Amino acid sequence: MDARRTDLDPQVAALLAEPTYQSLPPWHALSVEAARRLEDDVFGGEPTISLPEVTDTAIPGADAGSEIPIRVYRPLEAHDLPVLLFYHGGGWTLGTLDSADDLCRAFAAETESLVVSVDYRLAPEHPFPAPLEDAIAALEWVREHAAAIGGDPDRIGVCGSSAGANLAAAVARWDAHRGDDVLAQQVLCYPITDHAFDTPSYVENADSPLLTRADMRWFWNQYLRHPVDGVNPYASVLRASSFDRLPPTTVVTCGHDPLRDEGIAYAEALEDAGVPVSHHHYPSLPHGALSLADEVERSAEAMEKLTDRIRLRFVR
């Protein structure tokens, strides 16, 4: 067995044995519409963390006349808070502001940051690079308006989970390539980094809980206009020719995740390029583990360690 993977955490195993999880069909077996309805049913619901202020609004989109819905989470009354842009997961195909709500509330409360959650356009209606264009537009808007919403324009970070982590990494690459160096940090939670399915983790975790190899093939098929897009370094960020100028990075990977090895490879590529990297690996946890923090002690520990690192990276 690969040392990066141990037995599935007992609390996760017990949770996945409950009827709610046992009855879930795989994402790839559903139509896009049915998968979105299921995602809303599973990850929606009433918030569990109360914050002083949560505001829904919209900002200009990448296309003329378009808008991007965002949700701004304020944990404190202060007006110079660091700003953490958050891009939700869902294989670029699923996900809403509501499905990411609890995670964003936790990030805001535990990092004492102003969290801006971005409801970017989804594939297949809006394939690559449309979601990335919205993600970049959100960063540009935050850079310009951070002070107006109570944030510190000198302390901006990007964060995402899964496909959202892919977008966060691509946004950080775009920022570094332009030479703007706006970002203080990037936070990548079980990121998608490569359009390939040949790593040991894709074999070991082909049928792992919450995300399978077949699911990932389905998600990539929704996102890409053509397979050639899969080699674009703004889609497969691991294939970039250079990782220079990227901001300090935190990467979270999990043992029971088909994306494990590409996340590890990305952390190692950045380290080799001299980028400050904190890599948090959890051999017994599955993809999406941070969303299980209320039920799984190891996930709660992972969330605490991650938010501590985010908060420290924002210290001036």
Side-chain angles (χ1 to χ4, degrees):
M1 181 178 4
D2 193 306
R4 294 166 177 164
R5 182 180 189 263
T6 61
D7 290 342
L8 187 65
D9 183 278
Q11 289 183 317
V12 174
L15 184 66
L16 296 176
E18 294 180 0
T20 298
Y21 285 94
Q22 285 289 302
S23 63
L24 291 178
W27 298 116
H28 69 272
L30 301 171
S31 68
V32 170
E33 293 75 16
R36 287 174 179 167
R37 288 195 299 270
L38 178 63
E39 199 265 356
D40 287 343
D41 290 342
V42 172
F43 296 105
E46 293 299 314
T48 59
I49 299 174
S50 179
L51 294 174
E53 185 179 333
V54 178
T55 305
D56 284 358
T57 187
I59 62 175
D63 292 343
S66 67
E67 290 187 330
I68 305 168
I70 63 170
R71 183 171 293 170
V72 182
Y73 299 83
R74 178 182 299 282
L76 301 168
E77 296 299 331
H79 292 287
D80 60 349
L81 297 173
V83 184
L84 191 67
L85 266 168
F86 184 82
Y87 307 112
H88 65 73
W92 309 282
T93 306
L94 317 175
T96 64
L97 296 177
D98 289 339
S99 66
D101 189 67
D102 264 0
L103 197 54
C104 289
R105 287 172 181 266
F107 276 124
E110 296 180 32
T111 68
E112 297 184 344
S113 301
L114 196 70
V115 172
V116 179
S117 184
V118 182
D119 196 12
Y120 55 88
R121 289 172 292 174
L122 298 176
E125 298 91 338
H126 305 284
F128 174 83
L132 175 58
E133 289 170 347
D134 284 356
I136 291 171
L139 173 60
E140 292 187 303
W141 184 88
V142 164
R143 176 175 58 182
E144 184 176 349
H145 296 91
I149 62 173
D152 182 349
D154 294 323
R155 291 187 294 165
I156 298 173
V158 288
C159 175
S161 60
S162 195
N166 171 274
L167 295 177
V171 168
R173 171 176 163 74
W174 175 86
D175 178 59
H177 184 71
R178 282 169 53 102
D180 289 346
D181 296 332
V182 169
L183 296 176
Q185 62 176 305
Q186 62 172 335
V187 182
L188 312 177
C189 306
Y190 18 89
I192 302 170
T193 69
D194 196 13
H195 181 231
F197 308 94
D198 56 358
T199 60
S201 62
Y202 260 115
V203 176
E204 294 171 22
N205 299 315
D207 297 308
S208 278
L210 305 180
L211 185 69
T212 68
R213 180 171 56 194
D215 291 337
M216 279 307 307
R217 287 188 183 276
W218 186 75
F219 284 132
W220 272 111
N221 286 341
Q222 308 307 316
Y223 187 44
L224 302 181
R225 298 166 298 187
H226 186 278
V228 73
D229 282 338
V231 302
N232 188 309
Y234 282 99
S236 291
V237 292
L238 185 58
R239 302 195 188 199
S241 59
S242 171
F243 302 99
D244 294 341
R245 301 180 66 97
L246 288 173
T249 301
T250 305
V251 179
V252 176
T253 55
C254 297
H256 291 260
D257 183 356
L259 305 178
R260 178 195 70 205
D261 291 350
E262 63 195 74
I264 292 172
Y266 195 67
E268 291 175 345
L270 267 60
E271 282 187 322
D272 290 345
V275 177
V277 175
S278 295
H279 178 203
H280 306 171
H281 181 64
Y282 299 94
S284 67
L285 293 181
H287 186 82
L290 296 173
S291 295
L292 306 178
D294 288 343
E295 297 92 358
V296 177
E297 290 177 10
R298 190 65 174 140
S299 292
E301 292 169 4
M303 187 66 172
E304 182 178 6
K305 182 178 179 181
L306 175 61
T307 51
D308 283 349
R309 170 52 57 186
I310 294 170
R311 188 167 57 249
L312 286 172
R313 282 241 161 94
F314 274 139
V315 172
R316 287 181 286 194

